[in-house]
Amino acid sequence: MAAARGAKSKIPQLDWTEARPAPVVLVSGPEAFLADRAGQAIRAALLDANRELEVHDVDAASYTAGELFTIASPSLFAEPRLIRVEGVEKCSDAFIEDAKRYIADPADDTTLVLRHAGGQRGKALLDAVRGGAVGGIEVVCAEVKKDQDRLTFAQAEFRRLGAQITSGALRMIVGAYSGGIGELAGACAQLVSDAGSRLTEEEVNRATEGRVETNAFKVADAATAGRAADALVLLRQALSTGTDPIPMLAALNMKVRAMARVYGAVGSGGQLAKELGMAPWQVDRALREVRGWREEDLARCIDLAAETEWLLKGGSRDPEYALEKYLLFVAKRGR
Protein backbone atom coordinates (compact mmCIF):
# COMPACT_ATOMS: atom_id res chain seq x y z
CA MET A 1 0.00 0.00 0.00
CA ALA A 2 1.33 3.38 -0.91
CA ALA A 3 2.25 5.58 2.02
CA ALA A 4 3.35 9.17 2.06
CA ARG A 5 6.90 9.29 3.30
CA GLY A 6 8.27 12.60 4.56
CA ALA A 7 11.63 13.20 2.91
CA LYS A 8 12.94 15.30 5.82
CA SER A 9 11.73 13.11 8.67
CA LYS A 10 14.35 12.12 11.22
CA ILE A 11 12.19 9.48 12.88
CA PRO A 12 11.23 6.03 11.53
CA GLN A 13 8.13 6.02 9.32
CA LEU A 14 6.21 2.76 9.44
CA ASP A 15 3.28 1.21 7.63
CA TRP A 16 0.14 0.78 9.77
CA THR A 17 0.80 -2.96 9.92
CA GLU A 18 4.09 -2.24 11.73
CA ALA A 19 2.57 -0.06 14.48
CA ARG A 20 4.26 -0.54 17.85
CA PRO A 21 4.67 1.31 21.15
CA ALA A 22 7.22 4.13 21.43
CA PRO A 23 7.60 7.16 23.69
CA VAL A 24 5.97 9.31 20.98
CA VAL A 25 3.86 7.84 18.15
CA LEU A 26 2.45 10.05 15.41
CA VAL A 27 -0.40 8.29 13.60
CA SER A 28 -0.86 10.35 10.44
CA GLY A 29 -3.04 10.18 7.36
CA PRO A 30 -6.74 10.23 6.46
CA GLU A 31 -7.56 6.50 6.65
CA ALA A 32 -9.43 6.33 9.96
CA PHE A 33 -9.94 2.56 9.89
CA LEU A 34 -6.22 1.88 9.54
CA ALA A 35 -5.43 4.44 12.22
CA ASP A 36 -7.82 2.65 14.56
CA ARG A 37 -6.16 -0.68 13.75
CA ALA A 38 -2.75 0.84 14.49
CA GLY A 39 -3.99 2.23 17.80
CA GLN A 40 -5.43 -1.14 18.78
CA ALA A 41 -2.11 -2.84 18.02
CA ILE A 42 -0.20 -0.38 20.20
CA ARG A 43 -2.60 -0.79 23.10
CA ALA A 44 -2.54 -4.60 22.80
CA ALA A 45 1.26 -4.67 22.85
CA LEU A 46 1.38 -2.48 25.96
CA LEU A 47 -1.24 -4.61 27.72
CA ASP A 48 0.68 -7.77 26.89
CA ALA A 49 3.71 -6.24 28.58
CA ASN A 50 1.80 -5.01 31.64
CA ARG A 51 -1.86 -5.62 32.50
CA GLU A 52 -1.79 -2.61 34.86
CA LEU A 53 -1.60 -0.19 31.94
CA GLU A 54 -3.41 3.13 32.48
CA VAL A 55 -5.15 4.47 29.36
CA HIS A 56 -6.00 8.17 29.06
CA ASP A 57 -7.89 9.75 26.16
CA VAL A 58 -7.42 13.42 25.32
CA ASP A 59 -9.38 15.58 22.89
CA ALA A 60 -6.86 17.96 21.30
CA ALA A 61 -9.58 20.44 20.27
CA SER A 62 -10.75 21.08 23.84
CA TYR A 63 -7.35 20.70 25.49
CA THR A 64 -6.41 23.07 28.31
CA ALA A 65 -2.88 24.10 29.28
CA GLY A 66 -1.01 21.69 31.55
CA GLU A 67 -3.36 18.71 31.01
CA LEU A 68 -0.75 16.57 29.26
CA PHE A 69 1.84 17.00 32.02
CA THR A 70 -0.73 16.24 34.72
CA ILE A 71 -1.64 12.93 33.05
CA ALA A 72 1.97 11.99 32.41
CA SER A 73 3.24 12.79 35.92
CA PRO A 74 4.40 9.74 37.94
CA SER A 75 1.78 8.02 40.08
CA LEU A 76 2.19 6.32 43.43
CA PHE A 77 2.37 2.83 41.91
CA ALA A 78 4.24 3.85 38.72
CA GLU A 79 1.89 2.07 36.31
CA PRO A 80 2.78 2.43 32.62
CA ARG A 81 0.62 4.91 30.71
CA LEU A 82 -0.89 5.16 27.27
CA ILE A 83 -2.04 8.68 26.36
CA ARG A 84 -4.15 8.75 23.21
CA VAL A 85 -4.74 12.17 21.68
CA GLU A 86 -7.47 12.44 19.05
CA GLY A 87 -8.09 15.29 16.62
CA VAL A 88 -4.63 16.84 16.55
CA GLU A 89 -5.66 18.42 13.23
CA LYS A 90 -8.19 20.45 15.30
CA CYS A 91 -5.97 21.08 18.33
CA SER A 92 -5.95 24.14 20.57
CA ASP A 93 -2.95 26.45 20.70
CA ALA A 94 -2.34 25.27 24.27
CA PHE A 95 -1.99 21.68 23.09
CA ILE A 96 0.56 22.61 20.43
CA GLU A 97 2.73 24.40 22.97
CA ASP A 98 2.50 21.68 25.62
CA ALA A 99 3.03 18.84 23.16
CA LYS A 100 6.12 20.48 21.67
CA ARG A 101 7.60 20.77 25.16
CA TYR A 102 6.61 17.20 26.03
CA ILE A 103 8.11 15.47 22.98
CA ALA A 104 11.51 17.00 23.77
CA ASP A 105 11.55 15.06 27.06
CA PRO A 106 8.85 12.34 27.18
CA ALA A 107 7.85 10.85 30.53
CA ASP A 108 9.20 7.44 31.50
CA ASP A 109 6.97 4.39 30.94
CA THR A 110 4.57 6.50 28.90
CA THR A 111 3.43 6.11 25.30
CA LEU A 112 1.95 9.24 23.71
CA VAL A 113 -0.10 8.56 20.56
CA LEU A 114 -0.92 11.62 18.46
CA ARG A 115 -3.63 11.11 15.83
CA HIS A 116 -3.52 13.63 12.97
CA ALA A 117 -5.92 13.02 10.07
CA GLY A 118 -4.53 15.71 7.75
CA GLY A 119 -4.59 19.42 7.06
CA GLN A 120 -2.39 22.32 8.08
CA ARG A 121 -3.57 22.76 11.66
CA GLY A 122 -0.93 21.43 14.04
CA LYS A 123 1.74 21.34 11.32
CA ALA A 124 4.31 22.97 13.61
CA LEU A 125 3.85 20.11 16.06
CA LEU A 126 4.10 17.48 13.32
CA ASP A 127 7.30 19.09 12.06
CA ALA A 128 8.68 19.00 15.59
CA VAL A 129 7.82 15.32 15.99
CA ARG A 130 9.31 14.41 12.62
CA GLY A 131 12.31 16.57 13.32
CA GLY A 132 13.50 14.22 16.01
CA ALA A 133 11.10 13.64 18.89
CA VAL A 134 12.85 11.55 21.55
CA GLY A 135 12.03 7.91 20.75
CA GLY A 136 9.50 9.04 18.16
CA ILE A 137 8.02 7.04 15.28
CA GLU A 138 5.38 7.83 12.66
CA VAL A 139 2.70 5.37 11.56
CA VAL A 140 1.42 6.36 8.13
CA CYS A 141 -2.24 5.61 7.35
CA ALA A 142 -2.59 6.78 3.76
CA GLU A 143 -5.96 6.59 2.05
CA VAL A 144 -6.60 3.27 0.30
CA LYS A 145 -7.96 4.25 -3.12
CA LYS A 146 -6.30 2.22 -5.85
CA ASP A 147 -7.91 -1.04 -6.85
CA GLN A 148 -4.66 -2.92 -6.34
CA ASP A 149 -4.29 -1.50 -2.82
CA ARG A 150 -7.82 -2.62 -1.95
CA LEU A 151 -7.06 -6.11 -3.28
CA THR A 152 -3.84 -6.22 -1.26
CA PHE A 153 -5.72 -5.10 1.86
CA ALA A 154 -8.45 -7.72 1.42
CA GLN A 155 -5.91 -10.47 0.75
CA ALA A 156 -4.12 -9.52 3.98
CA GLU A 157 -7.44 -9.59 5.85
CA PHE A 158 -8.17 -13.13 4.70
CA ARG A 159 -4.64 -14.17 5.59
CA ARG A 160 -5.06 -12.63 9.06
CA LEU A 161 -8.31 -14.57 9.45
CA GLY A 162 -6.57 -17.80 8.48
CA ALA A 163 -8.51 -18.16 5.24
CA GLN A 164 -7.54 -18.92 1.65
CA ILE A 165 -9.41 -17.30 -1.23
CA THR A 166 -9.12 -17.70 -4.99
CA SER A 167 -8.17 -14.69 -7.10
CA GLY A 168 -11.61 -14.64 -8.72
CA ALA A 169 -13.41 -14.71 -5.38
CA LEU A 170 -11.10 -11.99 -4.05
CA ARG A 171 -11.92 -9.80 -7.04
CA MET A 172 -15.62 -10.39 -6.49
CA ILE A 173 -15.60 -9.38 -2.85
CA VAL A 174 -13.46 -6.29 -3.46
CA GLY A 175 -15.56 -5.22 -6.44
CA ALA A 176 -18.75 -5.81 -4.48
CA TYR A 177 -17.84 -3.73 -1.44
CA SER A 178 -16.68 -0.50 -3.02
CA GLY A 179 -17.22 1.74 0.01
CA GLY A 180 -14.76 2.33 2.84
CA ILE A 181 -12.20 -0.31 3.76
CA GLY A 182 -13.87 -0.72 7.13
CA GLU A 183 -16.89 -2.07 5.28
CA LEU A 184 -14.62 -4.28 3.17
CA ALA A 185 -12.87 -5.65 6.27
CA GLY A 186 -16.24 -6.43 7.83
CA ALA A 187 -17.34 -8.22 4.66
CA CYS A 188 -14.19 -10.35 4.68
CA ALA A 189 -14.73 -11.35 8.30
CA GLN A 190 -18.41 -12.13 7.72
CA LEU A 191 -17.59 -14.22 4.65
CA VAL A 192 -15.11 -16.34 6.59
CA SER A 193 -17.63 -16.73 9.42
CA ASP A 194 -20.39 -17.78 7.02
CA ALA A 195 -18.49 -19.83 4.44
CA GLY A 196 -15.35 -21.14 6.15
CA SER A 197 -11.65 -20.76 5.47
CA ARG A 198 -11.47 -22.02 1.86
CA LEU A 199 -13.23 -19.55 -0.38
CA THR A 200 -14.06 -19.72 -4.08
CA GLU A 201 -16.32 -17.67 -6.33
CA GLU A 202 -19.07 -20.20 -5.64
CA GLU A 203 -18.66 -19.66 -1.90
CA VAL A 204 -18.83 -15.89 -2.33
CA ASN A 205 -21.98 -16.19 -4.42
CA ARG A 206 -23.60 -18.57 -1.95
CA ALA A 207 -22.67 -16.57 1.13
CA THR A 208 -23.93 -13.29 -0.32
CA GLU A 209 -26.88 -14.62 -2.29
CA GLY A 210 -29.57 -11.96 -2.55
CA ARG A 211 -27.34 -9.27 -1.13
CA VAL A 212 -26.97 -5.88 -2.77
CA GLU A 213 -23.28 -6.18 -3.47
CA THR A 214 -23.37 -9.47 -5.41
CA ASN A 215 -26.25 -8.22 -7.54
CA ALA A 216 -24.37 -5.00 -8.21
CA PHE A 217 -21.34 -6.93 -9.44
CA LYS A 218 -23.42 -9.06 -11.81
CA VAL A 219 -25.29 -6.05 -13.19
CA ALA A 220 -22.03 -4.21 -13.87
CA ASP A 221 -20.53 -7.25 -15.61
CA ALA A 222 -23.53 -7.58 -17.91
CA ALA A 223 -23.58 -3.86 -18.75
CA THR A 224 -19.91 -3.51 -19.64
CA ALA A 225 -20.12 -6.72 -21.69
CA GLY A 226 -22.82 -5.03 -23.80
CA ARG A 227 -25.63 -7.37 -22.67
CA ALA A 228 -28.22 -4.62 -22.25
CA ALA A 229 -31.24 -6.88 -21.81
CA ASP A 230 -29.51 -9.07 -19.21
CA ALA A 231 -28.22 -6.04 -17.35
CA LEU A 232 -31.66 -4.44 -17.25
CA VAL A 233 -33.35 -7.64 -16.03
CA LEU A 234 -30.73 -8.13 -13.30
CA LEU A 235 -31.03 -4.50 -12.25
CA ARG A 236 -34.83 -4.64 -11.99
CA GLN A 237 -34.66 -7.91 -10.07
CA ALA A 238 -32.26 -6.36 -7.59
CA LEU A 239 -34.30 -3.18 -7.17
CA SER A 240 -37.52 -5.15 -6.75
CA THR A 241 -36.04 -6.91 -3.72
CA GLY A 242 -35.22 -3.61 -2.03
CA THR A 243 -31.67 -3.11 -3.25
CA ASP A 244 -30.33 0.42 -2.76
CA PRO A 245 -29.33 1.96 -6.15
CA ILE A 246 -26.15 3.57 -4.74
CA PRO A 247 -24.08 0.33 -4.48
CA MET A 248 -25.29 -0.63 -7.95
CA LEU A 249 -23.95 2.63 -9.33
CA ALA A 250 -20.66 2.22 -7.42
CA ALA A 251 -20.03 -1.22 -8.95
CA LEU A 252 -20.74 0.05 -12.46
CA ASN A 253 -18.56 3.13 -11.99
CA MET A 254 -15.66 1.00 -10.79
CA LYS A 255 -15.65 -0.88 -14.08
CA VAL A 256 -16.09 2.26 -16.21
CA ARG A 257 -13.16 3.93 -14.42
CA ALA A 258 -10.99 0.88 -15.11
CA MET A 259 -11.84 1.03 -18.82
CA ALA A 260 -11.09 4.75 -18.94
CA ARG A 261 -7.69 4.18 -17.34
CA VAL A 262 -6.58 1.57 -19.90
CA TYR A 263 -8.10 3.27 -22.96
CA GLY A 264 -5.37 4.00 -25.48
CA ALA A 265 -2.66 2.59 -23.21
CA VAL A 266 0.25 0.81 -24.88
CA GLY A 267 2.30 -1.95 -23.33
CA SER A 268 2.04 -5.42 -21.85
CA GLY A 269 -0.50 -6.24 -19.18
CA GLY A 270 2.25 -6.40 -16.58
CA GLN A 271 3.69 -3.03 -17.57
CA LEU A 272 0.30 -1.35 -17.59
CA ALA A 273 -0.62 -2.90 -14.24
CA LYS A 274 2.48 -1.37 -12.68
CA GLU A 275 1.94 2.03 -14.29
CA LEU A 276 -1.77 2.24 -13.48
CA GLY A 277 -1.71 0.68 -10.01
CA MET A 278 -4.01 -2.15 -11.07
CA ALA A 279 -3.76 -5.93 -10.91
CA PRO A 280 -2.76 -7.63 -14.21
CA TRP A 281 -6.11 -9.44 -14.43
CA GLN A 282 -7.89 -6.09 -13.98
CA VAL A 283 -5.92 -4.61 -16.86
CA ASP A 284 -6.63 -7.58 -19.11
CA ARG A 285 -10.33 -7.51 -18.36
CA ALA A 286 -10.62 -3.73 -18.79
CA LEU A 287 -8.79 -3.96 -22.13
CA ARG A 288 -11.26 -6.58 -23.33
CA GLU A 289 -14.26 -4.57 -22.17
CA VAL A 290 -13.09 -1.28 -23.68
CA ARG A 291 -12.73 -2.69 -27.21
CA GLY A 292 -15.05 -0.89 -29.59
CA TRP A 293 -15.50 2.09 -27.30
CA ARG A 294 -14.77 5.61 -28.47
CA GLU A 295 -13.01 8.17 -26.32
CA GLU A 296 -16.02 10.50 -26.42
CA ASP A 297 -18.29 7.69 -25.19
CA LEU A 298 -16.05 7.05 -22.20
CA ALA A 299 -15.95 10.75 -21.42
CA ARG A 300 -19.75 10.91 -21.62
CA CYS A 301 -19.99 7.88 -19.34
CA ILE A 302 -17.90 9.59 -16.69
CA ASP A 303 -20.05 12.72 -16.92
CA LEU A 304 -23.21 10.61 -16.69
CA ALA A 305 -21.81 8.80 -13.65
CA ALA A 306 -21.48 12.08 -11.74
CA GLU A 307 -24.91 13.23 -12.89
CA THR A 308 -26.49 9.90 -11.94
CA GLU A 309 -24.90 9.96 -8.49
CA TRP A 310 -26.43 13.40 -7.90
CA LEU A 311 -29.82 12.14 -9.07
CA LEU A 312 -29.62 9.10 -6.78
CA LYS A 313 -28.72 11.24 -3.77
CA GLY A 314 -31.80 13.43 -3.88
CA GLY A 315 -31.66 15.11 -7.26
CA SER A 316 -34.52 13.06 -8.72
CA ARG A 317 -37.89 11.74 -7.62
CA ASP A 318 -37.25 8.61 -9.68
CA PRO A 319 -33.66 7.47 -8.91
CA GLU A 320 -34.29 4.00 -10.34
CA TYR A 321 -35.06 5.46 -13.76
CA ALA A 322 -31.87 7.54 -13.61
CA LEU A 323 -29.84 4.40 -12.91
CA GLU A 324 -31.56 2.47 -15.71
CA LYS A 325 -30.78 5.27 -18.16
CA TYR A 326 -27.09 5.26 -17.23
CA LEU A 327 -26.93 1.46 -17.29
CA LEU A 328 -28.40 1.29 -20.80
CA PHE A 329 -25.97 3.94 -22.06
CA VAL A 330 -23.04 1.82 -20.82
CA ALA A 331 -24.48 -1.42 -22.17
CA LYS A 332 -25.22 -0.05 -25.64
CA ARG A 333 -21.72 1.41 -25.95
CA GLY A 334 -20.28 -1.91 -24.78
CA ARG A 335 -21.57 -3.88 -27.76
Side-chain angles (χ1 to χ4, degrees):
M1 243 169 253
R5 307 290 182 179
K8 298 181 180 179
S9 182
K10 295 181 180 179
I11 61 173
Q13 290 188 302
L14 311 178
D15 185 76
W16 69 273
T17 57
E18 304 169 307
R20 57 177 172 80
V24 178
V25 182
L26 170 60
V27 180
S28 65
E31 197 62 75
F33 180 80
L34 299 186
D36 185 60
R37 278 279 183 90
Q40 290 176 24
I42 292 169
R43 180 177 182 273
L46 289 169
L47 279 172
D48 283 345
N50 193 323
R51 304 303 297 181
E52 302 301 318
L53 176 72
E54 287 186 6
V55 180
H56 300 269
D57 292 309
V58 175
D59 178 9
S62 59
Y63 179 89
T64 56
E67 187 178 351
L68 180 58
F69 297 103
T70 299
I71 296 172
S73 61
S75 68
L76 180 63
F77 300 103
E79 296 93 345
R81 288 176 175 77
L82 169 61
I83 305 174
R84 303 183 296 195
V85 184
E86 287 293 324
V88 176
E89 71 279 3
K90 306 172 187 174
C91 64
S92 65
D93 291 339
F95 179 76
I96 293 176
E97 293 306 313
D98 280 3
K100 287 169 69 176
R101 284 174 50 210
Y102 178 88
I103 64 172
D105 185 21
D108 294 336
D109 295 322
T110 300
T111 295
L112 173 66
V113 178
L114 304 171
R115 171 70 183 120
H116 192 284
Q120 291 300 306
R121 182 64 179 164
K123 185 177 182 301
L125 173 58
L126 268 60
D127 289 343
V129 173
R130 291 168 175 152
V134 176
I137 63 172
E138 180 174 4
V139 178
V140 182
C141 299
E143 189 174 5
V144 182
K145 295 191 295 185
K146 292 183 178 180
D147 295 339
Q148 182 58 49
D149 290 344
R150 292 176 64 84
L151 283 164
T152 300
F153 172 79
Q155 182 71 75
E157 282 296 289
F158 285 115
R159 191 178 301 117
R160 184 179 67 84
L161 294 165
Q164 296 179 336
I165 186 167
T166 65
S167 59
L170 181 67
R171 175 178 62 83
M172 287 178 66
I173 199 75
V174 171
Y177 290 85
S178 56
I181 59 167
E183 178 190 34
L184 177 58
C188 294
Q190 188 62 52
L191 182 61
V192 173
S193 175
D194 292 345
S197 61
R198 300 185 69 83
L199 303 167
T200 65
E201 293 181 41
E202 182 181 355
E203 297 293 337
V204 173
N205 266 322
R206 186 182 302 120
T208 60
E209 184 176 1
R211 292 177 61 93
V212 171
E213 295 80 5
T214 300
N215 286 336
F217 190 82
K218 291 177 180 177
V219 170
D221 271 351
T224 53
R227 304 197 315 271
D230 290 345
L232 194 57
V233 168
L234 287 168
L235 175 64
R236 288 176 177 170
Q237 287 176 344
L239 294 175
S240 69
T241 59
T243 294
D244 189 322
I246 295 293
M248 314 291 287
L249 176 64
L252 186 55
N253 285 348
M254 184 177 180
K255 297 180 75 64
V256 170
R257 286 196 300 269
M259 291 191 297
R261 291 168 73 183
V262 304
Y263 183 83
V266 178
S268 67
Q271 289 174 325
L272 293 177
K274 186 175 182 180
E275 291 173 7
L276 300 174
M278 299 167 66
W281 62 261
Q282 289 177 309
V283 171
D284 292 341
R285 182 163 188 164
L287 286 171
R288 288 196 304 271
E289 291 172 337
V290 82
R291 287 173 188 161
W293 281 69
R294 298 180 302 171
E295 186 174 1
E296 53 265 37
D297 289 335
L298 278 171
R300 178 59 181 151
C301 254
I302 292 170
D303 288 341
L304 270 178
E307 179 183 333
T308 305
E309 182 173 1
W310 174 74
L311 291 171
L312 296 188
K313 293 181 177 179
S316 171
R317 294 183 180 179
D318 192 355
E320 294 182 3
Y321 173 72
L323 184 56
E324 283 186 3
K325 183 178 177 182
Y326 176 46
L327 180 81
L328 288 174
F329 180 90
V330 174
K332 289 177 180 178
R333 297 309 183 276
R335 288 177 178 172

